[in-house]
Amino acid sequence: EDAAKIIADIAEVALIFDGPVEVAVNVRIAASAPAAWWEQLAQTRADLLGRLLEGRGVPTARMSLVGRAARGKPVGASVQLDPGLFRPQEEAASPAPKSAQGMRSSRRGASPTKR
């Protein structure tokens, strides 16, 4: 039940932002099976998460499904949106308006800089 809620939340966020989504599952390699078996397990779990997200409307073309197995690596799953979706708007990078130029501080009551 909790997992279904998490999947629903991930799908909702992925659908709000129109960009690539990486689903990664990490498993720790144990001595009980060959490394290839653990890698297959990680990929199978990533594929399952992808199918669950697809069932919630996330297009498969936008998803990258990655299974990773390594010794000592943290175990779990992560979902990452394209970091480029969160870059500041061009307006934020533009120079300050002329009315604000020459001010020493943006504090209320600050005096203009003398020239």
Side-chain angles (χ1 to χ4, degrees):
E1 182 180 316
D2 290 339
K5 290 178 183 178
I6 293 169
I7 297 292
D9 287 349
I10 293 169
E12 185 176 348
V13 170
L15 291 170
I16 289 171
F17 298 100
D18 187 28
V21 178
E22 179 184 277
V23 177
V25 173
N26 298 314
V27 298
R28 189 173 297 126
I29 296 174
S32 60
W37 186 89
W38 293 104
E39 290 168 9
Q40 182 60 45
L41 175 67
Q43 188 60 52
T44 300
R45 288 180 177 177
D47 293 342
L48 173 61
L49 281 173
R51 286 193 304 275
L52 293 171
L53 291 171
E54 180 185 15
R56 296 270 185 181
V58 180
T60 56
R62 288 184 35 214
M63 286 189 276
S64 169
L65 308 172
V66 181
R68 299 180 184 121
R71 296 189 194 288
K73 190 170 186 116
V75 176
S78 65
V79 178
Q80 181 174 331
L81 298 173
D82 178 10
L85 295 170
F86 303 101
R87 288 194 185 122
Q89 297 290 329
E90 287 183 7
E91 298 88 48
S94 64
K98 290 186 181 198
S99 62
Q101 290 178 354
M103 300 293 282
R104 279 187 275 174
S105 169
S106 61
R107 293 178 311 180
R108 188 176 200 167
S111 302
T113 304
K114 293 183 181 179
R115 293 182 185 221

